[in-house]
Amino acid sequence: MSPALRLMLFAGLLAVTRVVSAAPAVQVMVLGTYHFGNPGADLHNVQADDVLLPRRQAELDAVARALARFRPTLVAVESPADELPERALPRYADFVAGRGEVRRNEIDQIGFRLARRLGHSRVIGIDAPGEFPFEALQAQAEAQGRGAELQRSIDEIGARTKAFEARARSATIGALLRSLNEPARIREDHAWYVGALRYGAGPAQPRAALLAAWTARNIAICARLVQSVQPGDRVVVVYGSGHGFLLRQCVQQMPGWQLVEPNRYLP
């Protein structure tokens, strides 16, 4: 590449940087949650009491009131919407109107509830499909004689899940969400994905493939978010807490975006 062309490219990058820095910042709060409706999609799934109980409904109202202080202009949730105009979820209109089944999941109970409180006309879905090739990792660990070691790491996740369930019997939903959104807890949750890179040898790297697939899905989720916001938006992203580390990382690395800690607002 000639010096003149390099100079032109550098000048172009500077111009883009100035445009990005001049635009109003996008502020994004990534709110990691446990799955209220327990879809059974994780290695260990939280068994919590019914969020439709009067006590839990009051706690969820308190969460929505607290998050509303952030004054979000958009709420995004863990739901596929690639084929929907503006990614707007039709179920939100039913929720606002009190039509249809009352769902126990965090999409309705936090995302829709918050958006309704703020008078939003839509809630968007940003979920993306992905693979989780866990069986290949198990097979490789067994082939290396390390199956028991891998199982212990999975059992540790199970023990943490049981401890969370025990706390959930007496703690408020706000307190439970605060614990899931502590930065140290988020890093610890993600550490399992990186730590299991020790399983593999030579060209057989199932753990690297699993981590790559998990990262790719979260980047695809973040891409859908990036393509849905406008300069100056204030966004609450309601997602399973396992996604928290990578979604937060994407927000932090996006030019002109700011990450907002949910624990500044949660009750």
Side-chain angles (χ1 to χ4, degrees):
M1 183 185 298
S2 69
L5 182 55
R6 282 199 298 269
L7 184 60
M8 289 174 61
L9 288 173
F10 181 67
L13 287 172
L14 284 179
V16 171
T17 301
R18 291 192 190 100
V19 169
V20 170
S21 62
V26 173
Q27 298 183 53
V28 181
M29 177 192 297
V30 178
L31 177 66
T33 74
Y34 60 100
H35 290 306
F36 295 172
N38 186 24
D42 301 320
L43 290 177
H44 290 279
N45 298 278
V46 171
Q47 302 288 338
D49 61 2
D50 191 346
V51 295
L52 297 185
L53 292 171
R55 167 197 165 200
R56 295 306 195 185
Q57 287 291 292
E59 293 169 1
L60 285 163
D61 283 339
V63 168
R65 286 196 304 272
L67 295 177
R69 295 188 293 113
F70 172 53
R71 296 179 290 109
T73 59
L74 182 66
V75 176
V77 298
E78 189 173 352
S79 183
D82 285 348
E83 307 303 321
L84 298 174
E86 296 186 316
R87 312 197 69 84
L89 299 175
R91 286 197 300 106
Y92 173 61
D94 293 335
F95 179 88
V96 172
R99 296 190 298 262
E101 177 188 5
V102 177
R103 303 195 182 200
R104 290 167 168 79
N105 62 33
E106 61 277 9
I107 293 171
D108 290 33
Q109 296 299 323
I110 296 180
F112 287 3
R113 185 186 300 256
L114 173 61
R116 180 180 63 184
R117 172 173 288 275
L118 295 162
H120 289 185
S121 61
R122 65 178 179 135
V123 170
I124 66 169
I126 58 171
D127 202 22
E131 297 183 358
F132 196 78
F134 182 69
E135 292 78 8
L137 171 61
Q138 287 181 307
Q140 179 68 22
E142 291 290 345
Q144 291 181 295
R146 302 174 69 183
E149 181 183 343
L150 175 62
Q151 186 59 49
R152 281 195 298 274
S153 74
I154 297 169
D155 291 344
E156 288 172 5
I157 298 173
R160 291 173 61 191
T161 300
K162 291 298 183 185
F164 184 88
E165 290 173 351
R167 187 180 178 206
R169 287 194 283 271
S170 58
T172 66
I173 290 176
L176 294 171
L177 293 176
R178 287 184 65 87
S179 70
L180 291 176
N181 286 279
E182 289 288 346
R185 169 70 181 261
I186 294 167
R187 290 192 297 271
E188 185 178 354
D189 286 346
H190 185 68
W192 183 86
Y193 293 96
V194 179
L197 287 173
R198 62 177 60 92
Y199 301 103
Q205 297 293 339
R207 186 61 192 103
L210 190 151
L211 178 57
W214 179 241
T215 302
R217 181 185 170 200
N218 282 280
I219 291 173
I221 292 166
C222 192
R224 286 158 170 77
L225 175 64
V226 170
Q227 294 153 16
S228 302
V229 304
Q230 301 296 323
D233 267 341
R234 303 165 67 89
V235 188
V236 171
V237 176
V238 181
Y239 241 83
S241 60
H243 298 267
F245 182 91
L246 291 172
L247 292 183
R248 287 164 60 96
Q249 183 181 73
C250 186
V251 169
Q252 289 173 311
Q253 293 177 347
M254 188 67 192
W257 285 31
Q258 299 172 357
L259 179 68
V260 176
E261 292 292 345
N263 283 0
R264 289 172 49 191
Y265 295 91
L266 283 169

